[in-house]
Amino acid sequence: LLSLAVSPLMFIATVWFSGQARKAFRKSREEIGNVNAELQETISSVREVQAFNRADENIEQFKGVNAANRDANIRAVAYTSALAPTLEAFSYIGLAIVTGVGGWYLLTGDTLFGATVTLGLVITFLAYVQRFNQPIQQIAVLWTNIQNAIAGAERIFTILDEKPAVVDKPAAKAMTEIKGKVEFDEVSHEYEDGVPVLNKVSFTAEPGQTIAIVGPTGAGKTTIINLLPRFYDVTHGSVKIDGVDVRDVTAESIRKQVGIVLQDTFLFSASVMDNIRFGKPDATDEEVYAAAKLANADSFIARLPEKYETVLGERGSGLSQGQRQLLSIARAALADPRILILDEATSSVDTRTERLIQKAFDALLQSRTSFVIAHRLSTIRNADMILVLKDGQIIERGKHDELLEKKGFYYDLYMSQFKKQEEVAATV
């Protein structure tokens, strides 16, 4: 019992130090994440930093984040390092107890539980204490170090356990080949509870129709196109394709048949060929060439050092914004979608290139249902239906000339935004 007297204290010390070490390592992992995030953001925004002369401020901000990471690591290591000498001290206390009590019985000649205490017995128990405490110390230190791994695992499993915003129903089936009829029935959507972005939006797009969506910033235009491929699910109402609620089929089967060309084009650090082929990996080289030609991208690709095998930089660096959009359009054309979504796909090209792209779109949009978020008059003049959004609601709908005759919100929008474009186009 005397030999084991300090064992409970060693156990308590191990539990306390390991608990503190785990908290410290968790904080350390969070801080290294902040360092990486700060570093990535600063490097990505280097042009803005230089343009606004914020280099010194960003360096100081990074020093602050880095210092927090350093302090968190020092605190974690301090708890881990303090456990071993603490347990060692308890071990010496155990030796002192056995030595003191054994020496007392030797000097007084008293018996312990009826047995005579000899010098050999005392020395034997001193060896027992050392050999018993040694593995306890090793296990305790090892357990404290394991807290580092546990803290890292928590960060990993936090991501792995994150529930997707859109989950297929257990009985969801694959969407059959889409014909192109799209119905929004009393659709409402909220990104945050109590803050509606769309409010009871209803419309029908027949197969092959082009639907233009216009309205001021924050009206809900992008939300409509996000609901189609199920990047989000509706809060109320339903979105149907060919009469089937998109929530009743798998998201993957829908997205395979929906093409998207966004205003902010993303290209990968791969060859031009692989970037165009991204939506259809099994496409032949001839199909890639045809898609590039359709998007009028073949002319500038031919001027690249290795043409279609030219490897692009990060996010397509080395290409102009207009050239990146042409590749994005070619990528969508190659996928041959039944529903096409264009988020102002010609916003970053000159007027001449825009006309070439518009001709390509005329061929691309044939027999496809398309939704166009438009900021240019040329994109919407020939639309089969224009939806005018304001504050999450459709306030006007119809063709271009019909809406102008009404002299409502669209008329005001046209006079303030599109009229000047029309005058400029007439002079070109």
Side-chain angles (χ1 to χ4, degrees):
L1 292 176
L2 291 173
S3 301
L4 299 175
V6 295
S7 295
L9 297 177
M10 297 176 76
F11 176 78
I12 293 172
T14 300
V15 171
W16 188 83
F17 274 105
S18 62
Q20 295 301 314
R22 184 169 180 175
K23 293 178 182 177
F25 280 122
R26 186 184 295 121
K27 181 65 175 178
S28 172
R29 295 292 181 177
E30 292 175 358
E31 293 299 338
I32 193 63
N34 292 337
V35 169
N36 290 332
E38 178 72 19
L39 197 60
Q40 188 274 335
E41 185 178 64
T42 302
I43 293 175
S44 299
S45 61
V46 64
R47 289 188 179 180
E48 285 74 14
V49 171
Q50 292 174 335
F52 289 94
N53 198 27
R54 293 276 302 179
D56 293 338
E57 289 81 355
N58 277 38
I59 290 173
E60 291 303 318
Q61 185 175 346
F62 178 76
K63 285 182 179 179
V65 175
N66 207 26
N69 175 54
R70 178 200 62 209
D71 295 342
N73 276 280
I74 290 175
R75 184 178 178 83
V77 173
Y79 281 117
T80 305
S81 302
L83 178 61
T86 301
L87 296 181
E88 188 75 17
F90 281 130
S91 178
Y92 284 124
I93 292 174
L95 288 173
I97 292 174
V98 171
T99 302
V101 175
W104 171 262
Y105 279 102
L106 280 174
L107 293 175
T108 59
D110 292 340
T111 60
L112 185 62
F113 297 108
T116 302
V117 177
T118 63
L119 179 61
L121 182 64
V122 173
I123 295 174
T124 299
F125 268 88
L126 289 176
Y128 282 162
V129 170
Q130 290 178 315
R131 299 192 65 177
F132 182 76
N133 288 339
Q134 186 177 11
I136 292 179
Q137 295 176 41
Q138 293 174 342
I139 293 172
V141 172
L142 178 63
W143 174 246
T144 304
N145 288 330
I146 289 175
Q147 303 310 306
N148 186 6
I150 293 176
E154 286 178 350
R155 298 278 291 179
I156 294 172
F157 284 103
T158 297
I159 297 175
L160 294 178
D161 294 340
E162 186 72 23
K163 299 298 182 183
V166 175
V167 180
D168 293 331
K169 293 180 179 179
K173 298 180 180 179
M175 185 75 180
T176 57
E177 184 176 350
I178 292 175
K179 295 180 181 178
K181 184 176 181 179
V182 176
E183 300 172 78
F184 274 59
D185 184 14
E186 297 289 315
V187 169
S188 297
H189 183 72
E190 300 175 354
Y191 294 109
E192 298 180 12
D193 292 340
V195 184
V197 180
L198 292 180
N199 186 16
K200 296 183 178 181
V201 171
S202 298
F203 66 87
T204 300
E206 297 296 335
Q209 282 190 335
T210 298
I211 309 299
I213 306 174
V214 299
T217 301
K221 302 186 296 294
T222 301
T223 301
I224 287 180
I225 66 171
N226 281 336
L227 295 176
L228 268 172
R230 286 193 69 196
F231 293 149
Y232 301 95
D233 277 336
V234 298
T235 306
H236 301 288
S238 64
V239 177
K240 297 180 181 179
I241 298 178
D242 295 342
V244 178
D245 194 317
V246 295
R247 292 170 295 183
D248 294 334
V249 294
T250 60
E252 181 183 3
S253 64
I254 295 175
R255 294 169 187 170
K256 282 183 177 179
Q257 302 183 70
V258 176
I260 303 177
V261 180
L262 299 176
Q263 184 175 0
D264 184 17
T265 303
F266 188 95
L267 297 177
F268 298 91
S269 300
S271 67
V272 172
M273 179 76 75
D274 290 338
N275 269 283
I276 296 177
R277 194 183 271 146
F278 183 76
K280 189 178 179 182
D282 58 346
T284 63
D285 290 352
E286 288 70 23
E287 290 176 324
V288 174
Y289 300 149
K293 187 174 182 180
L294 180 65
N296 292 294
D298 57 331
S299 57
F300 86 83
I301 294 175
R303 296 193 298 269
L304 296 177
E306 298 180 34
K307 298 180 173 56
Y308 284 86
E309 298 304 323
T310 302
V311 177
L312 304 178
E314 184 180 3
R315 297 182 67 92
S317 60
L319 299 179
S320 68
Q321 182 64 27
Q323 289 172 334
R324 278 179 258 175
Q325 281 194 322
L326 290 173
L327 289 183
S328 179
I329 294 167
R331 182 164 57 194
L334 180 64
D336 192 23
R338 306 313 307 161
I339 296 177
L340 187 63
I341 296 173
L342 308 176
D343 186 358
E344 192 45 71
T346 61
S347 62
S348 299
V349 297
D350 55 56
T351 304
R352 180 177 176 276
T353 305
E354 181 188 4
R355 290 177 177 176
L356 294 175
I357 294 176
Q358 201 62 50
K359 291 180 180 178
F361 279 154
D362 291 340
L364 184 62
L365 298 181
Q366 287 183 4
S367 72
R368 290 182 176 87
T369 306
S370 59
F371 292 83
V372 184
I373 294 181
H375 300 288
R376 289 196 178 189
L377 179 63
S378 57
T379 313
I380 63 174
R381 294 185 69 171
N382 299 323
D384 295 295
M385 180 168 61
I386 300 172
L387 302 179
V388 184
L389 266 68
K390 183 180 180 182
D391 298 330
Q393 294 181 311
I394 298 177
I395 59 174
E396 293 178 356
R397 69 182 73 197
K399 291 190 175 184
H400 173 67
D401 293 334
E402 296 172 353
L403 294 176
L404 287 181
E405 291 177 1
K406 292 181 180 179
K407 292 190 175 182
F409 186 83
Y410 179 80
Y411 176 82
D412 295 336
L413 186 66
Y414 167 78
M415 296 302 293
S416 62
Q417 181 174 343
F418 297 125
K419 183 65 175 177
K420 185 64 176 177
Q421 294 180 15
E422 188 173 41
E423 294 174 353
V424 172
T427 62
V428 176

